[in-house]
Amino acid sequence: MKKILSNNYIVLVLRILLLFVVFGICRIVFWIYNSDLIGEVSVSDYFSILKGALVFDSGSIFYVNLPFIVLSLIPFYFREKKGYQSFLMYLFLITNAIALLINIADIFYYPFKLARIASDDLRYAGESNMGGLMLEFLKDYWGGVILWIVLLLILYFVGFKLIRFQPGVRFIVFKPVYYGLQIFLLVFSVGFAIVAIRGYTLSAASFPISMSDATLFVRPNQSSLILSNPFCLLRTIHKSVDAPKYMSDEEAEKLFSPVRQSVDSGVISLPGRPNIMLIVLESFGSAHIKSLSDQFAPDAVSFTPFLDSLFNHGLLFTNAYQSGGRSIDAMPAMWGSIPSFKKNFLSMPQSVGTYHALPACLKELGYTTVFLHGAARTSMSFVAFGEMAGIEKFYSREDYEERYGKGDFDGKWGIWDHKFMPFVEECLNELPQPFFATFFSLSSHHPFILPPGMENRFPEGKEPIDRVIAYSDYALSELFKKMEKEPWFDNTLFIITADHGSGADNEKYLSAPYNYAVPVFFYMPSAGLAGRDNTVMAHVDIMPTLLAMLGYDKPFFAFGRDVINVPESQPFVVNYNGNVYNVVTDSLMYQFSDKELVGVYNYRTDYLKKDNLKDEPDITVEEERYKAYIQYYYLALKNHKYIP
């Protein structure tokens, strides 16, 4: 053993191999903790998972440890001195402590995002309440902290106590030969590390490897299992948008155009200029709404009794989906009909552009436009985007506290829903009519706490979010009781949806596309809106649908479509989940990587996606149209232009 440990190069190799073991432990814990979200993994999948895991762990390990490798092999004798070896130990432990912290955070953050942590998640570090949220996160997921400490102890005791470099007799004393060999080992090792970071291939088709290439190894639902951080984080920092290229831009423009114009078909139109209130409910995915989910037992308690009742009195879209991954994606999708795919649209520099969005269109029709949200004014870039989109007035936590003091802050996100919602009604009463008001709720969110005095008022569910959803549903019912008494209520169209889903306790709503399922509900009894529509739709469809209902007769820019007045013969929506684009039609779901079609599934009957229909004859008749939609999205980003 002493001879082995006197070889500097073998010591380095053993320490790198130890990192693969430690990262492997992280992946096993990730798998165990998120097994319901990842889905079934068969024995036949193990080899592909292992192969992919080694590739992406190599990216993480060599990315982080490249300085350590270079400094360990620097071809000078002073590297053998005790002080220098101590420096290497601290470098190794500190850099890998940070890497493991990110990797372990992925384990517990994944259920919220359904994707690995990437550079766009760093924007949340700037939130004013981030310190408190981080402490709450560490408290709730203390097991991750313990795992982190244990893995660091393994790295220290195994990597530097058991595997300890002990300078011995140099077998090569002739300095030119010694330095030549050491330089060769250094160059070879750095070259190997770079090739490993790039995916162990020099093929032009897959060089360098990216997050989306996880689907080259495993099925899309398993891609997050083999991905690794900090690879995902580092590969997305300061990156231009990684856009798929299925065809020429000219071909894409011929097959799809986001320039729309309403057509008055007379199917549904609104009399005069009614007020419009868009209500976005935090985390109210369809999985938690009894009247939308088929996974509730008939006698099961409902967490949304008010919504379940209200849905019987308007037009409910039962096959609707979010157009992004998280809250930050909601307003670009609803106000601008712009989805988010790989990255949150607002996190990209391309979001600073030219707009003529829904609020601006409504201002042309004489509407006063307003946004109300109980968080801080800077939260989620809502105000910044709202100003570009044409919102005139903003009401936030600061405005509430200026009027009512700071006693109703929940300590984490903002003002409790049952306190802020009456303030919403007060603000609406102050507005000239007609108004377009967007209210975004807040409390149905991690850390899933209830206001003082209400801790035992709402039913517990299988998921911790269920009771805060029940609380927010109650707060919404109280808001409607107040608004029903106002003279403007009968002349108001309410559009109710959720920003995104929030996990589930069953396989169906943990699987694409249902993990993105949200309600979209139009409520205005005087307009004759009624029934349930099972046509596929998404957040991006709200803008063109509403403009058609109002008779807006000018061209506008939208990736969505009018789902009521001029439904397309083959409607579809697109989201990005599991490192693939999911194109959902009324009957099938198509999955595209950046390079090709990888799967076709009958999601209505095969929601676990066991039967891939990709090779069935005539199954992909509109494949080029779907590809053109995806590609044109990135063309619009490139131009920073979102106007007709």
Side-chain angles (χ1 to χ4, degrees):
M1 187 69 173
K2 186 173 181 179
K3 288 183 178 179
I4 294 176
L5 296 181
S6 67
N7 187 309
N8 182 64
Y9 197 78
I10 293 178
V11 168
L12 174 64
V13 171
L14 291 175
R15 287 170 176 167
I16 297 298
L17 290 176
L18 175 63
L19 287 172
F20 277 94
V21 173
V22 167
F23 272 72
I25 293 172
C26 288
R27 176 166 283 97
I28 291 171
V29 177
F30 179 92
W31 187 0
I32 294 171
Y33 190 84
N34 295 290
S35 57
D36 289 342
L37 299 173
I38 294 168
E40 181 181 349
V41 176
S42 64
V43 175
S44 61
D45 295 326
Y46 287 173
F47 177 76
S48 297
I49 291 172
L50 178 60
K51 181 180 177 182
L54 288 174
V55 169
F56 287 101
D57 274 351
S58 294
S60 288
I61 291 168
F62 286 108
Y63 253 133
V64 170
N65 289 278
L66 192 55
F68 175 76
I69 292 170
V70 172
L71 293 173
S72 294
L73 297 178
I74 192 168
F76 297 106
Y77 288 133
F78 66 72
R79 74 185 184 190
E80 300 177 358
K81 293 185 179 296
K82 185 176 180 180
Y84 190 79
Q85 289 295 314
S86 296
F87 162 72
L88 288 178
M89 178 187 72
Y90 286 116
L91 175 64
F92 181 86
L93 292 176
I94 292 172
T95 53
N96 285 291
I98 296 170
L100 287 171
L101 184 63
I102 299 169
N103 212 13
I104 292 171
D106 250 343
I107 296 170
F108 306 101
Y109 188 59
Y110 180 78
F112 298 99
K113 185 185 177 185
L114 295 178
R116 292 284 196 163
I117 293 173
S119 62
D120 53 309
D121 295 294
L122 297 178
R123 66 179 293 111
Y124 296 104
E127 293 286 320
S128 59
N129 57 349
M130 181 50 61
L133 291 173
M134 284 299 297
L135 290 175
E136 192 72 31
F137 191 85
L138 292 174
K139 183 182 74 174
D140 289 349
Y141 302 105
W142 54 267
V145 177
I146 293 176
L147 174 63
W148 181 60
I149 294 172
V150 169
L151 294 181
L152 289 183
L153 290 174
I154 291 174
L155 289 183
Y156 173 68
F157 283 105
V158 178
F160 287 90
K161 291 299 183 181
L162 181 60
I163 306 172
R164 180 185 296 182
F165 176 60
Q166 299 173 353
V169 178
R170 299 189 186 99
F171 293 99
I172 301 176
V173 295
F174 186 52
K175 287 188 176 182
V177 176
Y178 170 81
Y179 284 120
L181 178 61
Q182 297 304 314
I183 292 172
F184 169 78
L185 290 175
L186 174 61
V187 172
F188 171 79
S189 299
V190 170
F192 179 84
I194 293 173
V195 171
I197 289 170
R198 310 288 260 183
Y200 292 110
T201 178
L202 298 179
S203 167
S206 57
F207 179 78
I209 197 168
S210 65
M211 290 176 62
S212 63
D213 286 322
T215 56
L216 299 176
F217 299 92
V218 295
R219 297 194 301 272
N221 65 302
Q222 298 170 348
S223 60
S224 291
L225 177 58
I226 69 168
L227 286 171
S228 171
N229 250 316
F231 171 87
C232 298
L233 182 62
L234 293 172
R235 285 289 284 125
T236 55
I237 288 179
H238 301 308
K239 290 273 293 181
S240 59
V241 179
D242 189 11
K245 191 74 171 179
Y246 302 115
M247 61 192 74
S248 70
D249 289 343
E250 292 74 21
E251 289 177 294
E253 289 186 78
K254 290 178 182 178
L255 291 169
F256 174 81
S257 172
V259 177
R260 308 276 186 170
Q261 185 152 5
S262 301
V263 176
D264 183 10
S265 65
V267 176
I268 293 180
S269 59
L270 300 177
R273 289 286 178 260
N275 303 306
I276 300 161
M277 187 174 183
L278 172 61
I279 299 176
V280 185
L281 299 174
E282 173 66 53
S283 301
F284 268 60
S286 298
H288 304 283
I289 300 174
K290 186 175 181 180
S291 56
L292 278 176
S293 170
D294 58 4
Q295 300 299 299
F296 279 76
D299 59 347
V301 65
S302 171
F303 306 109
T304 55
F306 172 69
L307 280 182
D308 290 337
S309 173
L310 191 67
F311 285 167
N312 293 320
H313 304 283
L315 177 59
L316 177 65
F317 288 89
T318 59
N319 195 26
Y321 300 94
Q322 65 200 63
S323 293
R326 288 170 296 167
S327 300
I328 193 174
D329 303 325
M331 300 332 301
M334 297 180 206
W335 286 341
S337 193
I338 301 171
S340 290
F341 293 145
K342 292 183 179 181
K343 290 187 175 184
N344 310 113
F345 176 73
L346 289 186
S347 72
M348 296 186 287
Q350 290 87 352
S351 65
V352 180
T354 306
Y355 294 89
H356 193 69
L358 177 62
C361 295
L362 294 180
K363 284 170 66 176
E364 293 177 5
L365 298 179
Y367 281 82
T368 301
T369 57
V370 59
F371 177 67
L372 309 101
H373 184 46
R377 192 173 182 86
T378 57
S379 180
M380 300 286 178
S381 299
F382 290 148
V383 172
F385 179 72
E387 289 176 340
M388 289 190 291
I391 296 292
E392 298 169 294
K393 297 183 179 182
F394 299 88
Y395 295 92
S396 57
R397 172 188 166 189
E398 292 87 347
D399 301 289
Y400 178 91
E401 291 181 339
E402 183 178 345
R403 188 176 300 187
Y404 293 107
K406 299 184 178 182
D408 296 322
F409 177 51
D410 66 7
K412 300 295 183 296
W413 292 106
I415 306 302
W416 295 108
D417 277 354
H418 79 292
K419 293 291 186 179
F420 194 77
M421 288 187 188
F423 175 67
V424 168
E425 191 250 356
E426 292 176 16
C427 294
L428 297 183
N429 285 336
E430 299 168 2
L431 296 176
Q433 299 181 50
F435 59 73
F436 170 58
T438 302
F439 164 57
F440 202 132
S441 75
L442 179 140
S443 298
S444 44
H445 200 291
H446 180 269
F448 313 126
I449 53 177
L450 292 170
M454 293 189 177
E455 293 87 351
N456 300 314
R457 185 167 177 176
F458 302 100
E460 294 275 0
K462 294 180 181 179
E463 297 292 311
I465 197 174
D466 288 332
R467 67 175 189 158
V468 290
I469 282 180
Y471 156 70
S472 292
D473 180 79
Y474 154 77
L476 187 66
S477 71
E478 294 298 302
L479 172 62
F480 266 78
K481 287 178 183 177
K482 284 181 171 291
M483 292 191 300
E484 286 172 352
K485 299 175 183 178
E486 301 297 340
W488 47 261
F489 180 83
D490 289 336
N491 190 42
T492 301
L493 169 67
F494 296 90
I495 305 172
I496 301 177
T497 186
D499 57 342
H500 56 73
S502 49
D505 61 4
N506 59 83
E507 289 182 323
K508 178 177 180 177
Y509 282 94
L510 292 173
S511 179
Y514 296 104
N515 56 346
Y516 271 33
V518 293
V520 176
F521 178 63
F522 288 76
Y523 174 67
M524 186 180 184
S526 62
L529 300 173
R532 291 187 167 223
D533 193 321
N534 202 30
T535 301
V536 66
M537 80 162 300
H539 283 155
V540 293
D541 299 324
I542 291 175
M543 173 182 170
T545 300
L546 179 58
L547 289 178
M549 294 169 73
L550 294 172
Y552 185 82
D553 58 2
K554 299 177 183 178
F556 58 90
F557 182 97
F559 281 95
R561 69 189 194 284
D562 175 8
V563 297
I564 295 177
N565 292 277
V566 192
E568 297 180 11
S569 58
Q570 293 293 329
F572 67 94
V573 301
V574 185
N575 58 53
Y576 189 80
N577 180 240
N579 298 295
V580 291
Y581 298 92
N582 297 306
V583 178
V584 185
T585 70
D586 280 341
S587 58
L588 297 173
M589 182 177 75
Y590 302 77
Q591 293 186 325
F592 294 90
S593 70
D594 280 348
K595 300 177 177 65
E596 60 186 354
L597 179 70
V598 296
V600 181
Y601 301 93
N602 186 335
Y603 68 97
R604 292 186 182 272
T605 59
D606 179 25
Y607 55 78
L608 294 182
K609 297 180 289 297
K610 294 182 177 181
D611 186 14
N612 191 341
L613 307 175
K614 181 172 73 77
D615 296 324
E616 295 291 322
D618 301 323
I619 201 67
T620 59
V621 291
E622 292 203 295
E623 179 180 335
E624 294 304 303
R625 180 173 169 232
Y626 307 146
K627 288 179 177 177
Y629 180 98
I630 295 169
Q631 185 167 318
Y632 197 99
Y633 171 78
Y634 293 99
L635 181 61
L637 294 185
K638 178 181 177 182
N639 295 330
H640 294 224
K641 190 176 179 181
Y642 312 100
I643 58 176

